[in-house]
């Protein structure tokens, strides 16, 4: 790689932390992964910033012989860091930490409407504003002097010592950003939070170079530049725009992981107020500051809830024929899961999960159960896509794009939509690279998904009818 240059993408997800090394032309050289275990301090779930940081420095040391020119941080949304002169003032909150009811009620009274922020009222700490409200009560002295940065930009600060904020992170169901006006929300300004955040810059803006002590510790070039970085789902959106079939077209990207997040690149104007409240629809903000109608559900977590006793995932390639073979019987029997396995989230937040028409014995294997939860994920994804008006083109990316029952069932449920898969991995990291070189084209061709055979429409009708009759009074 001598003379060619190299880039590093630091991708701090909710479940996994990933660091990847790339040549400047978009070829992956090496990738390291670290699970993010649950981390508690004094009984409160926190993000393990210290542990991830130690692992990151150790990983960077392994790449000391590469001519690294730039580093791009990426991270999940719904987290912030409070930093002072000596570093973190307290460990960032994990968004799955429940917030006391009285605290949340007081915060909810301060929120702006969905039509203003594109942020629905979400449980726990999923609205970044709720975290700030609570932390200001738990750590009043620290918060009074803190500079606030979103989670992705914390890693830019760790690498450079320069604090900035960025719109894809601020616009991720935070309650802090008004996408239609491209500014902090009225609430954020009224409560004085807007001025506590570090200056807002573009995702592709260079924040600075590596801290001298970090360059010395890792052996990386002191001249390596660090970009502000962005929210992980928006990085996946940038990666998708590297395909000619998606760029500048009406299309939706369905990113699959712990969260299944649908982000629609709408060809025509849309009104934020048209999004239904209470069904996990929202507005994200892309790397260029444009509003993106979105919907989501905790698909990966729901799938893991069902198959937790199974040692094999639903996306393992050798298992796909066996999983596909179970589908006809499931469709005939109308064996299906009712939503939701992640209460409080997705288009059916108040639903109660239960199996309908499940056999007493799952044919002696876990294959039928795994295939059934794939069908469930397709049904919920289909609903979420409808809620944001998705049409014409759909690109499924991420871990569960390799779950054949899921992707083919979803293609069958949406016959007027061309459903694609990208024949590539590391979509988030590749999207981050396109901040440096927007002309970088995605490797390989998009794969058109063949719809699943069988009576998927009848299956969906039965599922929607059962949902409609559920005690919670949900509508499909």
């Amino acid at each position: 790689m001598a003379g060619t240059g190299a880039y590093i993408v630091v991708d701090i997800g909710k479940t996994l932390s990933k660091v990847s090394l790339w040549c400047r032309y978009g070829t992956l050289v090496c990738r390291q992964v670290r699970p993010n275990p649950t981390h508690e301090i004094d009984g409160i779930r926190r993000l393990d910033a210290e542990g991830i940081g130690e692992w990151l420095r150790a990983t960077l040391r392994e790449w000391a012989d590469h001519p690294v020119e730039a580093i791009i941080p990426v991270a999940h949304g719904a987290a912030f860091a409070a930093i002072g002169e000596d570093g973190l003032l307290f460990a960032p909150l994990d968004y799955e930490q429940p917030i006391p009811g009285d605290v949340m009620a007081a915060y909810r009274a301060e929120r702006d409407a969905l039509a203003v922020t594109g942020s629905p009222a979400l449980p726990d700490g999923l609205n970044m504003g709720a975290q700030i409200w609570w932390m200001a009560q738990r750590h009043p002295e620290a918060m009074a002097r803190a500079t606030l940065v979103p989670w992705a930009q914390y890693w830019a600060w760790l690498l450079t010592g320069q604090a900035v904020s960025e719109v894809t992170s601020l616009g991720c169901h935070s309650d802090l950003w008004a996408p239609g006006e491209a500014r902090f929300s009225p609430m954020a300004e009224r409560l004085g939070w807007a001025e506590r955040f570090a200056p807002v810059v573009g995702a592709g803006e260079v924040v600075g170079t590596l801290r001298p002590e970090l360059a010395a510790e890792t052996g990386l070039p002191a001249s390596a530049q660090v970009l502000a970085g962005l929210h992980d789902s928006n990085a996946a959106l940038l990666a998708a725009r590297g395909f000619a079939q998606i760029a500048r077209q009406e299309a939706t990207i369905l990113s699959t992981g712990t969260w299944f997040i649908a982000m629609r690149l709408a060809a025509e104007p849309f009104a934020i107020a048209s999004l239904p409240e209470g069904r996990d629809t929202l507005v994200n903000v892309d790397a260029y500051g444009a509003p993106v109608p979105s919907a989501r559900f905790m698909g990966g977590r729901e799938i893991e809830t069902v198959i937790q006793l199974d040692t094999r995932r639903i996306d393992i390639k050798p298992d796909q024929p066996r999983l596909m073979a179970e589908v006809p019987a499931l469709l005939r029997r109308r064996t299906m899961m009712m939503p939701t396995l992640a209460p409080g989230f997705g288009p059916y937040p108040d639903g109660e999960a239960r199996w309908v028409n499940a056999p007493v014995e799952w044919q002696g294997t876990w294959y039928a159960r795994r295939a059934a939860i794939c069908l469930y994920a397709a049904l919920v994804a289909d609903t979420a896509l409808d809620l944001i008006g998705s049409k014409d083109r759909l690109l499924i990316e991420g871990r569960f794009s390799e779950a054949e029952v899921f992707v083919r069932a979803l293609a069958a449920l949406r016959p007027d939509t061309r459903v694609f898969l990208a024949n590539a991995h590391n979509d988030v990291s590749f999207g981050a690279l396109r901040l440096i070189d927007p002309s970088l084209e995605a490797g390989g061709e998009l794969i058109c998904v063949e719809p699943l055979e069988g009576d998927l429409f009848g299956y969906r009708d039965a599922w929607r009818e059962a949902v409609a009759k559920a005690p919670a009074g949900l509508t499909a």
Side-chain angles (χ1 to χ4, degrees):
M1 289 182 59
T4 64
Y7 302 136
I8 291 174
V9 177
V10 177
D11 178 6
I12 309 301
K14 182 61 168 65
T15 305
L16 299 172
S17 292
K18 295 147 280 188
V19 183
S20 52
L21 177 70
W22 300 74
C23 80
R24 69 161 67 196
Y25 302 110
T27 301
L28 179 65
V29 177
C30 185
R31 182 173 183 261
Q32 299 291 336
V33 179
R34 172 195 188 268
N36 295 330
T38 300
H39 185 67
E40 287 194 2
I41 299 175
D42 296 330
I44 294 177
R45 292 178 64 144
R46 304 276 187 164
L47 300 178
D48 187 14
E50 182 177 351
I52 296 171
E54 292 175 355
W55 169 79
L56 174 60
R57 289 191 293 271
T59 301
L60 296 180
R61 287 195 294 269
E62 297 178 10
W63 297 338
D65 57 341
H66 293 274
V68 174
E69 296 179 355
I71 303 175
I72 312 104
V74 178
H76 68 79
F80 79 97
I83 54 178
E85 292 183 0
D86 298 324
L88 273 177
L89 298 176
F90 52 85
L93 192 68
D94 183 327
Y95 65 65
E96 292 188 81
Q97 168 63 42
I99 293 177
D102 59 334
V103 175
M104 184 66 89
Y107 170 71
R108 292 267 172 91
E110 300 285 345
R111 295 180 65 252
D112 299 307
L114 174 71
V116 175
T117 64
S119 298
L122 297 173
D124 302 335
L126 276 164
N127 295 121
M128 195 192 303
Q131 297 185 29
I132 295 173
W133 179 268
W134 191 27
M135 292 301 98
Q137 297 176 33
R138 289 191 63 88
H139 307 283
E141 294 183 4
M143 286 290 284
R145 61 187 173 90
T147 296
L148 308 182
V149 294
W151 187 225
Q153 284 67 58
Y154 167 74
W155 299 100
W157 172 84
L158 185 76
L159 294 169
T160 67
Q162 302 298 313
V164 298
S165 302
E166 182 273 333
V167 294
T168 67
S169 300
L170 288 173
C172 174
H173 52 80
S174 67
D175 285 340
L176 303 178
W177 196 253
E181 300 179 15
R183 58 182 293 174
F184 279 99
S185 67
M187 179 193 70
E189 293 181 343
R190 184 179 69 254
L191 296 177
W193 296 348
E195 61 191 36
R196 304 301 306 168
F197 271 90
V200 179
V201 303
E205 188 167 323
V206 175
V207 173
T209 54
L210 278 181
R211 295 175 186 257
E213 64 273 22
L214 191 57
E217 176 188 349
T218 61
L220 295 180
S223 59
Q225 297 182 325
V226 179
L227 276 60
L230 74 170
H231 173 225
D232 52 10
S233 293
N234 266 286
L237 194 66
L238 270 182
R241 282 171 158 160
F243 291 101
Q245 299 99 317
I246 302 298
R248 296 179 294 279
Q249 306 276 355
E250 169 72 51
T252 301
I253 316 307
L254 180 61
S255 180
T256 65
T258 301
W259 289 94
F260 282 35
I261 302 177
M263 304 176 74
R264 180 187 170 201
L265 300 172
E268 68 272 351
F270 83 99
I272 295 176
S274 67
L275 296 175
E277 292 203 48
R279 303 199 70 182
D280 232 342
T281 59
L282 61 148
V283 173
N284 277 290
V285 179
D286 72 11
Y288 309 109
V292 180
S294 306
R296 51 178 221 154
F297 64 103
M298 224 171 185
R301 180 66 54 81
E302 294 190 79
I303 290 168
E304 289 165 0
T305 298
V306 167
I307 65 171
Q308 59 184 332
L309 298 179
D310 189 4
T311 59
R312 300 177 73 82
R313 305 190 311 262
I314 67 168
D315 55 318
I316 298 174
K317 192 173 184 62
D319 285 1
Q320 299 309 304
R322 290 288 300 273
L323 294 173
M324 287 289 294
E326 298 291 346
V327 171
L330 293 171
L331 296 181
R332 285 195 308 271
R333 194 187 300 114
R334 297 288 195 260
T335 297
M336 53 187 65
M337 170 62 74
M338 293 291 100
T340 178
L341 288 150
F345 305 111
Y348 306 105
D350 300 319
E352 184 176 342
R354 61 186 175 87
W355 287 108
V356 174
N357 298 325
V360 176
E361 298 293 335
W362 285 80
Q363 301 178 3
T365 76
W366 286 89
Y367 289 104
R369 192 183 300 263
R370 282 190 279 153
I373 202 62
C374 288
L375 294 174
Y376 166 79
L379 290 165
V380 180
D382 177 56
T383 302
L385 293 168
D386 281 345
L387 293 176
I388 58 172
S390 176
K391 60 183 180 179
D392 295 353
R393 299 166 191 83
L394 172 66
L395 174 60
I396 305 173
E397 69 87 28
R399 169 184 162 187
F400 295 102
S401 65
E402 296 187 347
E404 190 174 350
V405 175
F406 164 66
V407 299
R408 291 186 61 185
L410 188 55
L413 292 169
R414 306 188 72 79
D416 296 327
T417 297
R418 298 180 67 193
V419 180
F420 298 102
L421 306 178
N423 188 21
H425 294 275
N426 305 295
D427 303 284
V428 166
S429 298
F430 181 77
L433 293 179
R434 296 191 75 236
L435 287 176
I436 298 175
D437 182 5
S439 67
L440 203 61
E441 295 184 356
E445 297 293 327
L446 292 183
I447 301 168
C448 193
V449 177
E450 180 182 355
L452 189 66
E453 295 182 358
D455 185 15
L456 267 296
F457 294 119
Y459 186 81
R460 179 175 62 187
D461 289 344
W463 185 75
R464 288 182 172 179
E465 183 179 353
V467 169
K469 293 179 178 178
L474 301 174
T475 57

